[in-house]
Amino acid sequence: MRLAPSSLILAVLFLASAPSWAQDPEPLPAETDVEAMTDSLDSESEAQGLLPLEDLRTFTRVYDHIRTSYVEELTDTELLEYAIKGMMAELDPHSSYLDADRFEDLQVNTSGEFGGLGIEVGMENGFVKVVSPIDDTPAKEAGIEAGDLIIRLDDQPVKGMSLNEAVSVMRGPKGSEMTLTIVREGVDQPFELSIVRDIIKVRSVRTKLLDDDYLYVRIATFQVNTGRDLAGKINRTLEDHDGLRGVILDLRNNPGGVLQASVDVTDIFLDGGLVVYTEGRIAQSESRYHANAGDVTDGLPLVVLINDGSASASEIVAGALQDQGRAVIMGTRSFGKGSVQTVVPITESRAIKLTTARYYTPNGRSIQAQGIEPDVIVERAKVTAVKPSLRTTEADLAGHLNNGNGEEEVGTKAREESRAGDSSILAKDNQLHEALNLLKGLHIFRQQAQIPPVSEPVEAAPETDSL
């Protein structure tokens, strides 16, 4: 006799969860009290951490009602997939079911190339929230900012969409245009931004020299090869530029990525020591990651920039360097994602992304829902330097004495040119400006510590005779 759908589901779930003896049961005596046996099974199931039968009955009743009475016909395959999605959706925001498309997207994203607008997103109150725009992408160029809420995609309201559905809508062929309706804190009314889709190729690591002697490193996201790429760029800079005075590591609006990549990046700046450890319910989720001996930068002063868009792997790096006393952390408090997600393949094309552990900084701090507090808090602000009134300096006066030591004289024109260079960084990025100033101060302090104090010449006492 063929089982009804609800009976079939109940039988499958029971066999999957019951002890081994239940798979080949002995015949029951005629006088067996079925209700008593069910109660006993329920108690034993709960005691052994197995699925309780009464809850399974509830599930199968709901399943059967939907299957037979829902206004549109749904297959068992569809209903079971919906059940899995619903179960994952009730966990934390970072656990999810990855169907074939999303599983492929995840694999592509970690490799650093994918199609779309260039935004890392999540869900908040039914709307798409921008975690951070990705560097050198259409979204970044259009002015998307971390914390923006997207409420409409072209003419479609976001409310009611799942994150997966919203991401699917935002994806499209290169060159096609999409209009996003944005709600931004501090802006009275929603506004629209038009963005042309492109193939997003994320360049994980970028470097440049500031003021000739300070290395600026920007990590946009943590990919499989980020640590190797960063080590290569730093080594080439050290080979080509003798006398480097400090490093700025910019992790602002970096949403994270591969855990091992964050360990590799931290390893570059540490001479051994603990980087991060994880703790979870199962043995496989407990790990400890250490740096190898040898600081690639040989102890150069290091400032790390973070903000509320710095999440996950970014926070691992900042927390480790802070706890180990290796860097000064500057900016604003980070996002606060201190959990580890494990991707578990279910079939060749489907997987679940499941939160399996929390990670902790070397000093045992949990970043989860708290974030990393900077050593020096610097809010992002628009700063305009006050131009000094026109003044005359000694070097501008006709007939002034020369320097005497052969040093170059600095008049009004030279001072204005110097201020213009400083003001350009200040106007564009005040946090970077402050980080650079801090590095300059640290360099001066180190130099002074190596210079012996200047002593005044001591005059010889006149010779005297005792009488």
Side-chain angles (χ1 to χ4, degrees):
M1 181 178 68
R2 184 180 179 186
L3 291 173
S6 58
S7 301
L8 176 61
I9 296 297
L10 178 58
V12 170
L13 290 174
F14 178 74
L15 288 175
S17 61
S20 58
W21 57 261
Q23 298 178 21
D24 189 18
E26 293 292 330
L28 295 176
E31 67 274 10
T32 298
D33 186 338
V34 177
E35 291 295 332
M37 185 195 73
T38 301
D39 292 340
S40 175
L41 282 175
D42 285 337
S43 299
E44 186 174 348
S45 295
E46 291 176 4
Q48 297 185 23
L50 303 173
L51 296 175
L53 289 177
E54 187 55 42
D55 292 335
L56 288 175
R57 291 191 186 100
T58 301
F59 172 80
T60 56
R61 291 187 188 111
V62 173
Y63 181 96
D64 199 35
H65 277 297
I66 296 173
R67 187 178 186 278
T68 58
S69 305
Y70 185 63
V71 65
E72 294 181 356
E73 185 176 352
L74 296 170
T75 66
D76 287 331
T77 299
E78 290 173 317
L79 283 175
L80 288 171
E81 187 154 308
Y82 292 164
I84 295 171
K85 290 179 179 178
M87 184 165 50
M88 300 300 298
E90 288 300 311
L91 303 179
D92 68 295
H94 307 293
S95 296
S96 60
Y97 172 66
L98 306 176
D99 58 21
D101 291 337
R102 294 190 66 194
F103 191 25
E104 182 180 357
D105 289 343
L106 178 67
Q107 294 170 313
V108 171
N109 288 352
T110 56
S111 69
E113 180 175 336
F114 56 94
L117 303 175
I119 319 173
E120 293 284 347
V121 295
M123 292 295 286
E124 183 175 288
N125 299 325
F127 298 112
V128 173
K129 183 175 183 177
V130 177
V131 174
S132 67
I134 299 172
D135 291 347
D136 303 320
T137 64
K140 183 73 172 181
E141 294 173 2
I144 294 289
E145 296 181 3
D148 285 348
L149 286 180
I150 302 174
I151 62 173
R152 294 183 73 87
L153 302 170
D154 286 332
D155 296 327
Q156 301 181 55
V158 170
K159 198 74 170 180
M161 289 186 183
S162 67
L163 181 59
N164 189 32
E165 291 169 338
V167 170
S168 296
V169 173
M170 285 189 281
R171 294 194 184 278
K174 176 182 177 180
S176 60
E177 188 174 9
M178 161 157 278
T179 300
L180 306 181
T181 304
I182 305 292
V183 172
R184 179 175 296 169
E185 186 176 355
V187 179
D188 293 337
Q189 298 293 329
F191 60 94
E192 294 183 348
L193 286 177
S194 293
I195 305 177
V196 178
R197 297 182 180 93
D198 199 355
I199 300 300
I200 308 301
K201 295 182 180 180
V202 179
R203 185 168 48 160
S204 179
V205 181
R206 292 185 293 117
T207 61
K208 66 179 178 180
L209 285 174
L210 300 176
D211 285 9
D212 297 327
D213 296 316
Y214 299 92
L215 178 62
Y216 171 79
V217 176
R218 166 67 181 163
I219 299 181
T221 184
F222 286 88
Q223 300 167 8
V224 174
N225 296 321
T226 297
R228 185 188 66 186
D229 293 345
L230 176 59
K233 287 179 180 292
I234 291 178
N235 282 323
R236 285 193 294 272
T237 303
L238 291 172
E239 291 172 3
D240 298 338
H241 190 88
D242 188 25
L244 202 63
R245 296 179 176 181
V247 180
I248 297 172
L249 178 60
D250 189 354
L251 301 178
R252 291 174 298 175
N253 295 324
N254 181 322
V258 180
L259 172 62
Q260 184 59 49
S262 69
V263 176
D264 295 341
V265 167
T266 310
D267 191 2
I268 291 170
F269 300 101
L270 290 180
D271 186 14
L274 182 62
V275 174
V276 65
Y277 66 93
T278 64
E279 291 184 352
R281 292 176 58 202
I282 58 176
Q284 294 91 325
S285 65
E286 297 187 0
S287 302
R288 298 177 73 86
Y289 298 85
H290 292 81
N292 297 307
D295 178 348
V296 174
T297 65
D298 196 24
L300 281 173
L302 175 64
V303 175
V304 179
L305 286 173
I306 60 172
N307 64 2
D308 56 4
S310 305
S312 190
S314 300
E315 296 172 292
I316 291 176
V317 175
L321 295 175
Q322 187 179 52
D323 281 6
Q324 297 286 7
R326 178 62 184 87
V328 176
I329 312 301
M330 179 179 285
T332 56
R333 189 184 289 270
S334 62
F335 183 78
K337 180 185 177 294
S339 59
V340 180
Q341 283 67 49
T342 302
V343 177
V344 183
I346 303 301
T347 67
E348 289 186 358
S349 60
R350 287 172 169 78
I352 59 171
K353 185 173 68 171
L354 188 66
T355 299
T356 55
R358 290 181 176 88
Y359 54 70
Y360 298 84
T361 69
N363 286 347
R365 292 183 294 160
S366 172
I367 299 167
Q368 178 59 28
Q370 184 177 26
I372 297 295
E373 176 75 9
D375 299 308
V376 181
I377 297 177
V378 180
E379 296 284 349
R380 185 68 187 270
K382 292 182 179 179
V383 181
T384 303
V386 177
K387 188 176 181 180
S389 57
L390 183 62
R391 292 180 181 176
T392 301
T393 70
E394 175 71 15
D396 297 322
L397 297 177
H400 65 271
L401 293 175
N402 61 28
N403 178 264
N405 282 338
E407 300 289 340
E408 182 181 354
E409 298 177 355
V410 182
T412 301
K413 182 177 180 181
R415 297 183 188 197
E416 288 181 350
E417 290 174 351
S418 176
R419 288 193 188 102
D422 293 340
S423 297
S424 62
I425 297 179
L426 179 63
K428 293 178 182 178
D429 192 338
N430 69 297
Q431 291 174 322
L432 178 56
H433 184 266
E434 292 298 330
L436 182 58
N437 280 342
L438 177 57
L439 278 183
K440 291 178 178 178
L442 291 173
H443 172 71
I444 293 170
F445 183 79
R446 293 179 75 187
Q447 292 295 104
Q448 290 177 338
Q450 297 171 7
I451 299 174
V454 178
S455 57
E456 299 241 352
V458 179
E459 294 184 7
E463 294 184 4
T464 58
D465 291 328
S466 298
L467 297 176

